[in-house]
Amino acid sequence: MRKILLLFIASGFFYQAKAQSGLYQTGLEKKIDDAYELFDKHHYSASKLEFENLKEEELTASQRIDVDFYHAVSALKIENPDGPSLVENITKNYPTDPKANEAAFLLGDYYFEKRHYKVAIEKYNMVNVDVVSLEDRSKLYFKTGYAYFQLKDYANAARYFDPVKKMQTSYTGDGYYYAGYVAMELNKYDQAIADFKQADRYPEYQPKVPYMLSELYYRQQQYDELIAYATPITQSRNNLDRKEGIYLLLAEAYYERRDFNNAATYYDAFSKTGRGNMSREQMYKAGVAQFKVQKYQQATDYFKKVALENDRLGQVSSYYLGHSYLKLNNPQYAVTSFSTAYKSDFDSNIQEEALFNFAKLNLEKGSFQEAINAMDSYLQKYPQGQNVAEVENLLSDALINTNNYLRAIEHIERMSNKSLRIRAAYQKVTYYQGITYYRNKRYKEAITYFDKSIAYPVDKAIVHEAFFWKAEAYAAGDNMKEAIRAYEQVTGMRLTSLDPALIRSHYGLGYAYFNTQQYAKAENQFRSYIDKVKKSDVQSYYDDAVMRLGDCYYIQKKFDNALSTFRRAIDDRNPEADYAHYMAGVVLNFQNRNREAIAELDRGLSRYPNSRFMDDIVFQKAQINMEESNYAEARQGYSQLINQSPNSPFVPFALEGRAIASYSLKNYDQTINDYKKILDSYPNATNADAALVGLQEALSLQGRSGEFSNYLSDYKTANPGNESLQSIEFEAAKNLFFNQSYQESIRAFETYLKSYPNSGQKQEANYFIGDAYYRLGQKDQALQTFYDLEGMGASSHRAKAIQRIAEIEFEKKNYQKAIPYFISSSKVARDRIEEYEAYKGLMTAYYETSKFDSASFYADKVIALGDITADAEANALLIKAKSLLKTGKTAAAQDELMVLLNESESIQGAEALYLLSLSFHESGNFTQSNETIFSFSEKYAVYDYWYGKCFVLLAKNYKGLNENFQAKATLESVIENAKNEQIIQEAKAELEAIQ
């Protein structure tokens, strides 16, 4: 509407004419003229005052009306509070005067401009239209109509707009336009179209009319007329109002005509203007149009906004969204979209199809457990569904490949009729569950599931593997009899010589025989393993098998074979070459080739100065020197061992050897001191009696026989005869311990120590007491006992006590206290298991005390030892990666985490997946974080906590990528399916933040 100005009084000529009759002015007339002049110059405040003063004058009737009128108008102009009432009084006081008509018009305009439309109408209705000009009449009708229009009284509005259309005035175009608008609101579409077409002849309405006409055609579903009219208009007129609205109407019209190409074009045109918003239904249609013309990325931009709401439109949009993402080769987004669609029940057909697609897609991308659950749901909800046959076939594939084996096993065991494919799946998943239990050291459960697998012998290779791992589980549980039986079932099968199960069974059986002292049988198995493994690609324990074969030869006194085997290990640079040097020296000694033996031992000392067999080598070399009567060299070797390894079990024997060497060198004082040391510190050592005899002889030679009686008395106390009560009591206490009657054994050992406080078994008894407390879970009492034992001086039991102290302080989270004891334990470790326990403790304790470089150092040592236990390397890799993350070495940490992901399906791998994905998230690499989760998460689905953490993180990544639909759907899925309450609460908090 063009700007409507406040009506000014048409009779201004009157006062202007009077003001010009200056020749005949009186004083009063002069004042009146001055007031008119102020009014004419818009000095309304001044003119109001002047006209107010004039009211006190003696005025004619005509002058009185004019003064009252202009005084009232001046008050109205300056927004004086009494202005409207003053003008109102003109209509009341002078109802027959033309000024009353002007006052009513003026009041109408006043209230019109104030948007007090009801009052404006009332005042306009007071105007006598018969006495005003055509222009003013047109204006009056238009304004009255417009006031009704604003009050949404369209019927009355039409009554006033219609006469304006017939008057050829400046308001004619306004009349047509608003008459058209009113007709449209009254659903008189033909009349509206006619009026708008007339309004289109007026330049001021040419930008406005096209949208209104387009809207009218659309309302009447005259889509062809809309397209024919609006398409050229949008191209020819540049100044169109609401051009974006015309684009949207065109898009809708083309959509209704199923012209999806043009519909997509105009939906895009609307969006690109950046003005206005589509309704959800329009966004849905835009998505469909883009989908139909294969513009799938644009389709997702529309669908994912509509899909946020849980209604029928949201369900259909989610379904389309799933198919769009499939076309874009984005299966993960597609899965989430189908998931949302099938969880809505507004359209059962879409629900069924979405569930089927969700199941099939999960299977294709390797999310087997999700696929199984979905196919279960499908078969339960749609037993007569059109996809039942395909679902049943797909289900068998999913069951074979899932890593939630217990769930798959439970599902299959419920099935009454098991096809060959299902029986094959059952054989596999029970085997895999057996492996899982084995890795978690739950050996009895592992054996149960291996037996279940063996009961369905569809795949012979799996049968062989199941028997092998059943044997491994028995061996790990220390049931060698059953282990041997299971291994022999594999070796007794008619397998090819390079069958992996057969080769590994030779190795396992070799150890089982070795540990049960069947050395000839062990020899055969290790030899078979060595011969076959070199020709295969089976993971090789070749180096270890060579060592054990050498041991078998040695124990059976096949010295030539033993020597050649150990030398082969040395030449092959076997990781245990230090042990091979030692054993080669021992064998050469047995063959009386002592010069060669010493040379071999020296090579071991020089090449492996930190060997854990250092004590063995030094002692053996000293022994050979003794045999060769090289007493000085022998004494030097014994002294080296005693000084460097005071806790070594060889010390009592080294003291004896040094005593004999000193005796031979006639150093009797040294001889006497070493024998006394044995009797004082190791009174129940196996060589204590020999020390007593040697001491007696050495003291006699020195004329000090009187000293001997005291040692003899102590010896008898420490070493009573086998039939003595002391020995019986000690053995009885030990039997209670080994029968797991730990509380009774503690009482028995304490009674023993009270009865025999000077017993040579004092340290051993204390160790048993501490260990019994430990096994009872009474860690504080155990710890105090082991600390007491540590303070008793050197002994073989002191080393065990140190190890226990480290373990208990670690369990109590006293990491700083545990560290020095783990270090001591690592120095006296006699085998790889003891080394592993010490290094593992140090690795973890240093990590917990924030000494991350040290944690990483010991993690490398654990890794170097290999898979001592099922999770040894995995745990070490995880600690190392976490230590690197803590020290800001993110790239190196990510490398370690990736190694762990590729090599392990353990819980450490699950945590590694979360940490690696989190590191990408924190650096803003949301897509890479998601891709990492997608690539690896399926194999960790059994670890509820870390699996859930990964998917909450997935939702956070989606938020970072502005994919709120995906984030919302992911969190809803976590809340629905997670079993861990902490994860559920995390997901709910994230979901609330999105909504």
Side-chain angles (χ1 to χ4, degrees), residues 431-501:
Y431 168 73
Y432 294 147
Q433 184 58 44
I435 293 293
T436 300
Y437 277 136
Y438 176 83
R439 287 173 177 160
N440 293 332
K441 302 179 183 179
R442 297 170 61 177
Y443 302 120
K444 289 183 180 179
E445 291 97 327
I447 291 165
T448 298
Y449 280 88
F450 289 135
D451 282 337
K452 287 187 175 188
S453 179
I454 291 166
Y456 283 79
V458 178
D459 186 329
K460 296 301 182 184
I462 295 178
V463 174
H464 308 156
E465 290 292 327
F467 271 116
F468 167 74
W469 285 107
K470 179 180 175 181
E472 290 281 287
Y474 275 125
D478 205 28
N479 186 344
M480 290 302 168
K481 180 178 178 181
E482 291 300 327
I484 289 171
R485 182 179 300 173
Y487 284 129
E488 286 179 339
Q489 283 180 291
V490 180
T491 58
M493 296 175 183
R494 295 181 178 180
L495 306 180
T496 62
S497 62
L498 297 183
D499 186 284

Side-chain angles (χ1 to χ4, degrees), residues 13-14 68 70 123 130 203 218 227 250 254-255 283 320 387 397 399 407 488 536 579 602 666 681 799 804-805 831:
F13 70 91
F14 174 75
D68 285 348
Y70 287 109
K123 303 308 176 186
D130 293 332
Y218 183 77
I227 292 167
L250 278 169
Y254 278 120
Y255 182 90
M283 283 192 287
Y320 266 115
N387 301 304
D397 293 332
L399 290 168
R407 173 69 185 82
E488 286 179 339
S536 74
Y579 177 76
D602 281 339
K666 299 182 180 181
S681 300
R804 282 293 197 213
I805 290 169
D831 54 41

Side-chain angles (χ1 to χ4, degrees), residues 910-933:
E911 184 177 356
L913 174 59
Y914 174 73
L915 291 175
L916 182 58
S917 304
L918 181 63
S919 72
F920 292 137
H921 171 87
E922 289 175 341
S923 62
N925 295 327
F926 304 124
T927 300
Q928 188 173 9
S929 179
N930 279 354
E931 289 175 352
T932 304
I933 294 171

Side-chain angles (χ1 to χ4, degrees), residues 578-590:
D578 53 344
Y579 177 76
H581 279 295
Y582 165 65
M583 288 304 298
V586 171
V587 171
L588 288 166
N589 176 231
F590 269 102

